[in-house]
Amino acid sequence: MLGLFVALVLVGCERYEPESTQQQAEQYYGQKYACDAKVVDSHDLGSYALFGYSYNGTEYIMSDGCSVVYEDYEGVFRDNKQEKEIEAAVLAYAQERLQSIEGALTAVEIEAVGSPPSQETYSGKGVCWHARYDDDVEQFLKEERPSLQLAYHRSGSQVEEGSFSYQMAYDAAAAQGLEDAYVALGQYFDISQINLLVVDRQTFEEHSNSDDLTLFNEAVRYVVSFDKNSAGTFEAKRLKPSFIRIANGIEVSSATPGIALEDGDVNLRSRALGFVSWDLSEAAANRLDTSELHYYVRNNTTDWIYKVEGIDKFQLICEPHQHVHYAQINNEDVLYIGNKDNILPQVEITEINNGVLKATYRTVFKESISDMRLTVIGMGYKDNNSGSESTLFPSRVVGETKDGWLLEVDIPKNAVPNNTLSFQVSYNGDKDVSTQVKKEVQL
């Protein structure tokens, strides 16, 4: 234990070698402001991480009280000497530009322009800038291109299908030129985090105090987001779910902005044991120039939809009669559509007698499993009998069946009678571990 403590301390105190110097900081500051301010103090810029602080820059305190920072990953000096006048100028500029865009249904609420250094040891105030501000706000912003952060609004509840976040809502009837106006704003700001809602005004006003306006609502014309292209300029991408049928009762839509699916783009190819492969057609992959998409899924069947992530490992995509806001499914992923009891690993308790529990573990992947190992965790009383805690129950594999293994579990005398046992199975040389199977049982 002492050795582990020493190791952690040594890792946390690893020496940081800065990539900038005091002389460089003074030279940057003096040339920028034509002054002779000197560095009076400095310290590493870092944040708490596992096993201590992770440092990646330096903050220099100047003789006039301002901070000069150098973050290694960025490779430039920045300072907060003009922070207040810059904040006032860029906020006013952004406010004026946003208010000039017609059709807004929400008020312009600018939360911030740019971000202060993210390291916890930063002791200065506000955002630090590299370019000097000389009353030409547009030229300054072209050099800096800081992030523009607007207030978030949420449509739809946290769990309801089709919920989404947006910063500004616009009347669809007055949205002409909207995207061009924001792309133009992208010459001065990073707008990659901005999402715009284009919606029917009347419906928006009717739903302004409710959470049932979702992406699937016909009144929502589309949502606009902005991506930077290879030339460094922003492009507008629209998103509006448009569903195609891929099986009886199952529909999908692209959830990737700027991409819409057409009939026949996605197919389910049958595999053994009732599994299917998610198949994005070659024509669709060529047309969309990608094989990886995000999807919305509508499941109007009585079946469960799982993605197979390994032997006895399944990720739930959809429950019966569920509409999923978002699902990460890639081309050629294997899915199961049906009754979950047919594929999820099962434990059946067959006997409890004389302090021994007998059970059967079943899996559809029996033929693919070797070197099966068992661990059983249950609840047992603490030594002072004042409460219970997780306890390892001695267990073993005593035989095989066509679709699984026969198990025996010894019941500790201090085990809680009304118990939940967790059967944890590892196999194939411990490279894969099955999902845990929990079983409520009266011991």
Side-chain angles (χ1 to χ4, degrees):
M1 189 68 182
L2 178 61
L4 176 61
F5 174 76
V6 172
L8 294 180
V9 171
L10 290 176
V11 172
C13 295
E14 182 178 355
R15 181 172 176 79
Y16 168 71
E17 296 294 338
E19 296 184 9
S20 61
T21 67
Q22 175 177 321
Q23 181 180 6
Q24 291 172 329
E26 291 175 342
Q27 184 179 17
Y28 153 81
Y29 200 71
Q31 290 178 348
K32 183 175 180 180
Y33 296 112
C35 68
D36 60 355
K38 301 298 182 182
V39 173
V40 296
D41 194 11
S42 66
H43 56 264
D44 298 333
L45 282 176
S47 297
Y48 183 78
L50 187 63
F51 305 131
Y53 264 78
S54 173
Y55 294 101
N56 61 4
T58 306
E59 179 179 3
Y60 301 92
I61 310 301
M62 308 305 293
S63 54
D64 61 3
C66 296
S67 292
V68 172
V69 299
Y70 184 95
E71 297 183 78
D72 296 342
Y73 67 89
E74 193 175 36
V76 298
F77 285 97
R78 295 181 177 275
D79 67 88
N80 64 353
K81 183 176 180 64
Q82 295 180 291
E83 192 267 335
K84 289 186 177 179
E85 60 181 307
I86 290 174
E87 180 184 34
V90 297
L91 285 176
Y93 179 81
Q95 189 86 17
E96 181 181 2
R97 290 290 296 264
L98 289 169
Q99 288 182 331
S100 68
I101 301 175
E102 297 181 355
L105 300 176
T106 49
V108 176
E109 298 178 68
I110 301 176
E111 294 193 334
V113 175
S115 302
S118 58
Q119 290 82 3
E120 295 175 2
T121 56
Y122 173 59
S123 62
K125 293 182 179 180
V127 181
C128 293
W129 306 94
H130 176 71
R132 174 161 178 162
Y133 175 60
D134 289 317
D135 296 326
D136 187 342
V137 66
E138 288 194 347
Q139 181 58 38
F140 173 81
L141 287 172
K142 282 184 177 180
E143 293 184 48
E144 290 285 345
R145 218 173 183 182
S147 60
L148 180 59
Q149 302 169 46
L150 306 182
Y152 269 93
H153 306 276
R154 174 166 286 277
S155 180
S157 68
Q158 293 282 345
V159 297
E160 185 180 2
E161 64 272 10
S163 63
F164 63 100
S165 296
Y166 63 95
Q167 281 75 26
M168 292 286 295
Y170 287 89
D171 180 3
Q176 186 173 2
L178 172 66
E179 294 164 26
D180 290 341
Y182 270 88
V183 168
L185 193 63
Q187 299 177 56
Y188 309 102
F189 298 97
D190 180 352
I191 58 173
S192 58
Q193 300 302 312
I194 290 180
N195 294 305
L196 308 178
L197 168 65
V198 179
V199 65
D200 175 74
R201 173 187 287 272
Q202 180 178 347
T203 303
F204 180 79
E205 292 174 348
E206 290 173 354
H207 291 266
S208 60
N209 295 317
S210 66
D211 60 6
D212 58 352
L213 182 66
T214 76
L215 275 174
F216 303 140
N217 191 300
E218 291 184 2
V220 174
R221 304 298 176 86
Y222 51 87
V223 174
V224 184
S225 59
F226 302 91
D227 286 338
K228 191 180 291 186
N229 58 29
S230 58
T233 58
F234 284 98
E235 295 179 347
K237 299 289 183 69
R238 293 185 179 185
L239 172 63
K240 173 61 180 178
S242 178
F243 289 88
I244 62 171
R245 177 183 175 275
I246 61 172
N248 288 333
I250 300 177
E251 300 173 316
V252 299
S253 167
S254 166
T256 301
I259 292 181
L261 296 177
E262 299 176 0
D263 288 338
D265 280 352
V266 178
N267 299 286
L268 300 178
R269 181 163 43 90
S270 297
R271 297 171 64 100
L273 302 175
F275 294 98
V276 296
S277 288
W278 185 274
D279 183 17
L280 183 69
S281 71
E282 183 177 354
N286 291 336
R287 185 183 83 249
L288 303 175
D289 194 28
T290 183
S291 61
E292 297 185 2
L293 295 176
H294 298 161
Y295 297 91
Y296 298 115
V297 181
R298 281 179 169 174
N299 179 15
N300 294 315
T301 74
T302 58
D303 292 327
W304 298 70
I305 303 177
Y306 284 93
K307 182 167 74 171
V308 181
E309 298 195 319
I311 298 175
D312 277 350
K313 290 183 178 180
F314 303 91
Q315 176 190 341
L316 177 62
I317 299 297
C318 261
E319 295 183 8
H321 302 292
Q322 184 181 46
H323 298 172
V324 174
H325 167 56
Y326 163 88
Q328 177 63 58
I329 309 174
N330 295 324
N331 193 29
E332 298 185 356
D333 277 349
V334 177
L335 305 182
Y336 177 80
I337 303 173
N339 186 333
K340 64 178 181 177
D341 293 337
N342 293 336
I343 57 150
L344 296 182
Q346 303 286 327
V347 171
E348 178 185 356
I349 308 298
T350 58
E351 182 181 345
I352 301 176
N353 192 24
N354 295 326
V356 177
L357 179 148
K358 295 183 179 182
T360 302
Y361 181 91
R362 293 190 173 90
T363 170
V364 297
F365 295 112
K366 175 65 163 53
E367 295 182 358
S368 303
I369 296 176
S370 62
D371 190 28
M372 189 274 206
R373 300 181 185 181
L374 174 68
T375 300
V376 178
I377 304 294
M379 299 299 294
Y381 281 109
K382 295 179 180 179
D383 291 340
N384 60 9
N385 288 334
S386 61
S388 60
E389 62 183 8
S390 296
T391 303
L392 181 67
F393 282 35
S395 59
R396 54 203 164 269
V397 178
V398 296
E400 295 190 28
T401 66
K402 182 179 179 181
D403 59 354
W405 290 268
L406 301 175
L407 317 176
E408 285 187 354
V409 181
D410 294 334
I411 304 171
K413 293 182 179 179
N414 63 349
V416 178
N418 187 17
N419 217 305
T420 299
L421 301 185
S422 175
F423 292 79
Q424 304 174 18
V425 178
S426 62
Y427 41 78
N428 293 3
D430 290 338
K431 293 181 181 179
D432 296 298
V433 180
S434 75
T435 52
Q436 299 180 12
V437 179
K438 294 187 176 181
K439 194 73 174 179
E440 294 183 1
V441 59
Q442 186 67 39
L443 298 177

